[in-house]
């Protein structure tokens, strides 16, 4: 009854993937993490893809304490989309990496821009409070195109207690 | 006391419908599902129709695992509106269909565009997390017209736990 | 101590009202419901009036089953405002009236436009789910004026269960 | 350790105030309420001041029944800001005043405009339901300036029960 | 396994910092608080940094009573970013400082503008109710640039009880 | 691939049903509505079944105005469970029925008790506000058994506006 | 089609009512307000009736300033239920009445107990903040019976801002 | 730096598992799904394990239409805990299985009771609305022990629209 | 029209109050703050009074950093109730006081117990996060009486970001 | 003006602490983390202390993938309370530790029980979803005492998307 039955690791356009549908190991650093891409479906249609990563964690570069963030990435593909399992492994590779909030957030976006050469991309990084006061970082590659639909990220602000 | 009493299956403009108000069977695939349309009421008025489908499910094309999405479709009719029972049956026909998130989302929109030739249409597909990280896909046929009212979809972002 | 004491049914501009401050009966259909208007206060000031009707109900024209909607109407008066008790009675008169969602929603707006000749008007009709999938209808008389303040309606989307 | 210690009723620019920091009595009507103003700090900076009054109450001019509203006022000062205690007393002076929703809302804004001659002002009045159907009124003095930051009021819509 | 191991107080660009990663004392007033800055990473990328301070408190200049606010600051760095621990200490230095809401809010923004010379900056100060009626203050250095992404602050309005 | 394929109207224990899986008409009054029951599955297991009906509507017996309620029913079956389509038709049959809130709520429960002879049953009826003040009615057949799990209904209270 | 058609002011058990379904005037004080009762339907069934009054207002007995409260009343009738329109008029009669929070809350309950002689009654009074700090008052006639279902009132606590 | 490094598929007590940490296929029916168990850690400690499955789907046994549920399972292990990947595969095996809500919910609990012989177990099944009216099913093996901590499931009730 | 007109500072039972309805100064420490009491109204009725203080702030006794808490106090009066303005001044007197969370929370309760000799009292202190991890402290004088109604405090837990 | 001025690292009962108010390093494993305790204040008063840790992370013992949890700990001290900075460091030491959810949750509680010998303690561990399905673990040392106030943890359940 399955009309488009699962095709396994040899599905069209996925032959070269080294991680999807396979047992993988956690990369130890962002440098050694392998971000992979596949051809964007529906060429000529300008759509937005949003990834939400509520479990991002890295280290403070000065004190070594763990930092946590909720990260949301929006992009409009040109020729490529990112393969999501490799993106997940890339993001988890920051687990033992030390960097400032502003630096870390923009670095992730930069790596994706290099890989995908997207028409447009933005990142919102919503960091957990330190000293009672959270930092958020927002960056995009350029003005958002007027004619593509890009919903607000609408991550709720931090409210303290009570 | 009913002023416009129910008219039954022969109400004006609905004579040709094969599914509304009848016992139907679930179509086995998107290809065999029959999407139906009826003439748009209030010709000349440019209004938006929004469908919300919180129970969409399909299969991962590589692993065969079930995927779930919350889907919202907005469109401005030209001559036709989609008959809602046939749309529901069409969406449920993806139950055993394997396709990537990006592909699946844009395919649904494409099928509706072919059927309805609407003035404008967009789809927001909000997929459940896999590996802790959800994907959303947003597409529209072109820039949203400035003079038609199109409220934000405002589907809340994924927040993890706790 | 009351500085502008209640004036009773003869308050200025309300003499001709047949329903406000009186015992009334439910009209049996939209056609027999009497929508009433009073002169708009603060002539020359362009403000928005919003009505919210969370208790709208009508009948499906094909199956005769009850349908329910949450309706929000915004308008900018020119010379008249609608008298709210008559509007309420008008809306409750759809209780035994059969019409499609799209038709019903635009019909209400049309009747108000004829009565009030407003500078601008829009209606948002948020129907309860049928078959697990709700329909919303959005219509406005034309582009919203840039220089009048018209807040978003922000009715939350349907979310399913859990 | 207080660096700018409280100065008492003779703080600069507040000498002429008759109500702030003093025992006051409730004014009996809007006409007898004394709205007071003080020079706007940070002349030349165009900022927005928002007051939220969730406890507004007046009377229905026809039936004498109490009406309730949640009111939000935004304005950009030119030379003056309103003294907040006098504003509160002004708003509570509507307690025994009879007026229609639309009238009452615009009257408050008008009085503030006369007192302050602000660069821009708007009022949102969110009335409690009567007959199951609330009315909201929105008015502003003119188009909102593009280059001043004026966040949405985002008062949630009325939802009925359940 | 740490790829960018914590570098301690001598991490590049942080040598001159006197407070980060050190035991510090609470400054007694805004005047004696030392706001510090570090070079902005990713020069040439125009991003937004948001600080949220839900625990701001100062004193009423007339009555000496404590006031509380939830404060959100957004800015686009030019050459500098503010060091966050020094910002926290600066904000807590208002603890025994007396100033009006409007004054206090704009003063904080002004101090940051002098320190950072940012491309753009805004402050939203959401004060707790006094007399049942809260005041919010919104200010920005100039029009928000169209091509940089600046999400809404979306701090919920005050709702009273019930 | 369906392991327990749909059995159609002759599935075991459903042969006598006159409404499930068939085209039906809306009953015109509670008296003429036919509530149906089927044998309870898992005899000997004491479980709770909860129905939620957010679209209940009836008429005020004095003024004839429509009333609306959100209704939740919990029960522990003994030998029978109610067939849900017949329950829905029964509830919609109150559409043109006039009764007080307290009366109407307990009447529904009574009818179910007579039909099902359940071990235990309760009804919560959450009526929309009239005159700004909603009424809720809560009734149960007797003390809730300690050893059966009956979660709270947790329908949110009415909050007015703002 | 109405099965129990509205009966007008002579419906059984309501003949003696002086206010329901009639034009009424606001009583000027609690002492002059006329609370009315009707025979409880479904004698022998022990159910709970809940009234929610989100629009209660009275005066501070010392300063004369208006106070506001959200009030919820639960009771189990013995022979009588309160007529809801008269209850509403009674509650609005506190509009110009001066009393402390604790006193006012318990007074309302006491009056109802005298009128109805209920099996059990409780009142929750949730007052708006004064001086940044709200007071709630909770009272009941005695222990809540174990075998009658009395859901929690669950009015959300006050949270301040942000 | 990993102190308890991942042990791979030969970790103590997991040798016999056939699905965890391996590529698996979706079972085609509940009967062919293999539920697996591992020895409960911390023998002698009586703790509760809660599984939440927001993506459950099965078929209506009469009409073949897809049904959806949000399911929550709580249990106190005796000697065994369920292996979570096998539980997930078991639950997804209902995808093409036809059964009534009440039956389906209790069947899942029964299967787990047979596998685990737990001290206590309960299931809450929160089904999506059909015909505008959802059904929930609640079952437990017996009275909840007083001395083990079992938090409420607190799945929000269905609210309709608006 | 005021039936119980404000009585001013000589209202019965309030003659001895030194702070209510008067200009007051902030006490500099908890030791010098004067907590005042008045006779409890409705002697013989056992009711609960709840105070919510969302703006509590004190200092860390080791580092001198500001701490913040949301505090809720419930008590059943015997002969006295606390005068609320003096309670507010007492709580704000902790502004420059250094004490641990556990100590500070129980100290406040102890002072109230000494003043009021209540039948029963409890305090919930919900502290803002430090180091990403908040502490709450809960204490009561003894078991809560079964026959007095004491609603849950239901202050929401801390959730982090996103 | 500080009445209990910060005492620095030699405050009574804190002399032996090795981590509070000092620069510390992250412990590399739970075994090497040093949990510290201080004498419980207010001996003889039985109060509850709640810690909330929304940023807990460990590794899956089989696959090495990061797991995340929101953890809440409640306990009633006997002679000791845990020093909160050492608790935070202990919890962050699980960052590179591999253990099953059930095991990890109970291990943390066990370590605290050994350190503190509390009168009573419980842990709620709310894990992020894996495979779309989260696990929660709840454990307590024994029945909760009836006469100590222990509020519900009320961590919201997982809801999927939309
Ligand atoms: Ca707060
Ligand atoms: Ca939005
Ligand atoms: Ca969290
Ligand atoms: Ca959902
Ligand atoms: Ca769900
Ligand atoms: Ca909005
Ligand atoms: Ca509802
Ligand atoms: Ca917004
Ligand atoms: Ca309210
Ligand atoms: Ca509850
Ligand atoms: Ca309000
Ligand atoms: Ca806050
Ligand atoms: Ca609604
Ligand atoms: Ca609760
Ligand atoms: Ca999160
Ligand atoms: Ca959904």
């Amino acid at each position: 009854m399955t009309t488009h039955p699962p095709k396994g690791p040899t599905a069209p356009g996925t032959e070269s993937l080294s991680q999807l549908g396979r047992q993988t190991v956690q990369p130890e650093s962002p440098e050694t993490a392998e971000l992979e891409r596949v051809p964007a479906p529906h060429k000529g249609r300008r759509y937005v893809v949003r990834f939400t990563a509520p479990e991002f964690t890295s280290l403070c570069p000065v004190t070594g304490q763990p930092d946590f963030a909720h990260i949301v990435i929006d992009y409009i593909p040109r020729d490529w989309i990112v393969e999501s399992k490799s993106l997940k492994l890339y993001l988890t590779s920051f687990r033992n990496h030390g960097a400032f909030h502003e630096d870390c957030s923009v670095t992730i976006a930069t790596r994706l821009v290099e890989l995908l050469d997207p028409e447009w991309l933005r990142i919102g990084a919503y960091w957990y409070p330190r000293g009672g006061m959270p930092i958020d970082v927002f960056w995009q590659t350029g003005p958002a195109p007027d004619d593509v639909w890009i919903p607000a990220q609408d991550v709720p602000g931090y409210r303290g207690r009570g």
Side-chain angles (χ1 to χ4, degrees), chain A:
Chain A
M1 188 187 293
T2 300
T3 60
H4 283 202
K7 305 173 190 70
T10 59
T14 63
E15 303 83 352
S16 65
L17 295 177
S18 65
Q19 297 169 106
L20 179 63
R22 307 218 165 124
Q23 294 286 105
T24 51
V25 295
Q26 293 295 317
E28 295 200 357
S29 76
E31 287 76 11
T32 61
E34 183 177 6
L35 261 179
E36 293 183 295
R37 64 188 189 187
V38 296
H42 294 276
K43 285 275 165 51
R45 307 229 125 150
R46 296 161 75 217
Y47 51 87
V48 170
V49 182
R50 170 173 295 172
F51 284 95
T52 302
E55 303 170 1
F56 185 86
T57 177
S58 61
L59 299 176
C60 172
V62 172
T63 65
Q65 290 188 306
D67 285 319
F68 290 78
H70 178 98
I71 288 181
V72 183
I73 297 164
D74 291 324
Y75 75 101
I76 304 172
R78 207 183 310 264
D79 293 324
W80 305 97
I81 58 174
V82 67
E83 191 283 308
S84 67
K85 185 172 180 185
S86 78
L87 176 56
K88 183 199 162 186
L89 291 170
Y90 172 64
L91 291 176
T92 53
S93 77
F94 284 81
R95 189 175 186 79
N96 292 307
H97 173 87
F100 284 106
H101 291 359
E102 292 90 341
D103 188 10
C104 197
S105 310
V106 180
T107 291
I108 292 166
T110 296
R111 176 82 180 261
L112 282 165
V113 167
E114 290 168 359
L115 176 76
L116 300 175
D117 185 29
E119 177 179 335
W120 174 86
L121 181 149
R122 73 175 173 190
I123 189 167
Y126 308 84
W127 296 85
Y128 278 49
R130 289 290 164 263
M133 211 171 66
I135 299 180
D136 297 338
V137 181
F138 308 107
W139 182 73
Q140 60 187 2
T141 53
D146 277 348
D147 52 353
V148 175
W149 174 40
I150 308 165
Q153 292 196 352
D154 271 336
V155 174
Y158 174 64
R159 300 195 55 182
R161 284 303 307 276

